[in-house]
Amino acid sequence: MNSTLRILANRRSVRNYDEKPITTTEREYIINSALRAPTAGNMMLYSILEITDPSIKKKLVHTCDNQEFIGKAPLVLIFTADMQRLYDYYEYCNVPEFCRENSIDYTLPQESELFLANCDALFAAQNAVIAAESLGIGSCYTADIAEHIETHRKILNLPEYVFPSILICFGHRRESQKSQPLTTRFQQKYIVFENSYNRLSHNEFSDMFKERELSLKEHFGKVRNLGQHVYLKTANAPYSKERRRSVREILKNWQRGD
């Protein structure tokens, strides 16, 4: 196993950070690694917002499900799916006028462009995370930035065609965290299929979730199994309902049809 594979195999989320600051050099390595991520047509359909203002961090703690570590993280980056910049460039290049003159449809961004730009943003985000890991800097993804979209648009000055894909906090691990065990992952046979999708049988589900059923059973309370527990804690949770509402609001800008 080489050093890159070791980094990938041992990466875990880190929410408590040492007081040691992230240096300017380390920040540059993280940002520059993000900018080298794969991108559709080499257009880099994302923007990265570095949050340095403590008052904005404090607001994000509240809007992102009261996650205190956001306010304490030495480096906070928000990766946004950004089609605004490209369409502003089209305006700069008089593309709408060119299309009118040549009887070509001028199409504004739609759902497919949002998905494409979101992929670009997440590729860049993961590059940043792995670069940080190589420097001994931990990180934690926070998807809650996609919630409360009206508030986040105002706080972050997000224009119409910019979607906040993910927020990531970075910081050096505390010594006590370095020996913590990794969380388990599902067996490859239940995730990786050859040539076509495979829907799992009841027996396969039983085996797939066996370890997690045993480790979490004492927390089930009124539910009877892990599936019910996960549903109540995630899909039925207030934050999931708010995320659905926010995403529906976001999509209004992108749903025009040809």
Side-chain angles (χ1 to χ4, degrees):
M1 185 181 288
N2 61 36
S3 59
T4 302
L5 293 175
R6 278 194 293 274
I7 289 168
L8 291 168
N10 291 292
R11 193 262 162 192
R12 57 167 299 145
S13 294
V14 176
R15 295 176 176 84
N16 295 300
Y17 307 110
D18 189 84
E19 293 181 0
K20 178 182 176 183
I22 290 176
T23 67
T24 300
T25 300
E26 289 170 333
R27 175 197 172 277
E28 285 300 301
Y29 279 132
I30 292 168
I31 296 291
N32 288 331
S33 295
L35 300 180
R36 290 304 307 171
T39 168
N42 198 25
M43 295 307 294
M44 301 172 75
L45 303 175
Y46 60 91
S47 288
I48 304 170
L49 310 183
E50 181 180 1
I51 308 303
T52 59
D53 186 331
S55 67
I56 296 178
K57 285 186 179 181
K58 187 175 180 180
K59 291 176 183 176
L60 293 174
V61 166
H62 175 67
T63 59
C64 293
D65 205 24
N66 297 309
Q67 298 188 86
E68 294 291 339
F69 67 90
I70 295 173
K72 299 174 183 177
L75 177 63
V76 176
L77 301 179
I78 299 174
F79 291 79
T80 70
D82 183 1
M83 291 299 296
Q84 189 69 54
R85 182 174 59 242
L86 181 59
Y87 272 76
D88 286 348
Y89 180 64
Y90 287 163
E91 293 284 342
Y92 166 77
C93 292
N94 297 315
V95 173
E97 180 182 350
F98 169 80
C99 289
R100 285 193 298 271
E101 291 172 350
N102 291 276
S103 300
I104 299 170
D105 289 336
Y106 181 67
T107 305
L108 293 172
Q110 297 181 39
E111 300 97 326
S112 60
E113 282 75 31
L114 173 57
F115 275 86
L116 189 67
N118 197 50
C119 287
D120 264 21
L122 296 177
F123 295 157
Q126 185 65 1
N127 257 31
V129 162
I130 298 306
E133 284 288 318
S134 75
L135 298 169
I137 295 170
S139 59
C140 185
Y141 279 92
T142 305
D144 302 87
I145 194 64
E147 300 164 25
H148 306 290
I149 188 59
E150 296 88 352
T151 302
H152 287 147
R153 277 175 172 162
K154 185 175 180 180
I155 293 173
L156 303 171
N157 191 33
L158 301 179
E160 187 176 15
Y161 300 124
V162 176
F163 165 62
S165 301
I166 203 76
L167 180 152
I168 308 179
C169 293
F170 298 87
H172 289 276
R173 294 176 181 81
R174 294 177 177 176
E175 282 299 322
S176 59
Q177 293 179 309
K178 294 179 180 179
S179 59
Q180 289 181 346
L182 293 173
T183 54
T184 60
R185 294 291 191 258
F186 294 125
Q187 295 179 62
Q188 186 180 129
K189 63 182 178 179
Y190 297 130
I191 304 298
V192 182
F193 310 127
E194 185 174 357
N195 296 323
S196 63
Y197 186 83
N198 178 40
R199 295 187 70 172
L200 303 183
S201 68
H202 287 193
N203 286 338
E204 287 172 321
F205 277 131
S206 178
D207 183 61
M208 179 179 181
F209 286 93
K210 181 169 56 180
E211 286 187 19
R212 297 190 188 188
E213 285 270 5
L214 291 173
S215 64
L216 292 173
K217 196 167 186 179
E218 63 187 77
H219 302 292
F220 285 172
K222 66 179 179 180
V223 302
R224 295 189 297 274
N225 56 51
L226 180 61
Q228 295 173 10
H229 174 76
V230 170
Y231 182 84
L232 288 180
K233 294 292 185 181
T234 57
N236 194 55
Y239 72 84
S240 290
K241 295 175 182 178
E242 167 54 28
R243 185 175 301 138
R244 293 184 196 114
R245 187 204 65 79
S246 282
V247 170
R248 283 195 296 269
E249 182 63 29
I250 290 164
L251 285 171
K252 289 178 182 177
N253 295 334
W254 306 74
Q255 292 175 323
R256 291 183 174 83
D258 290 327

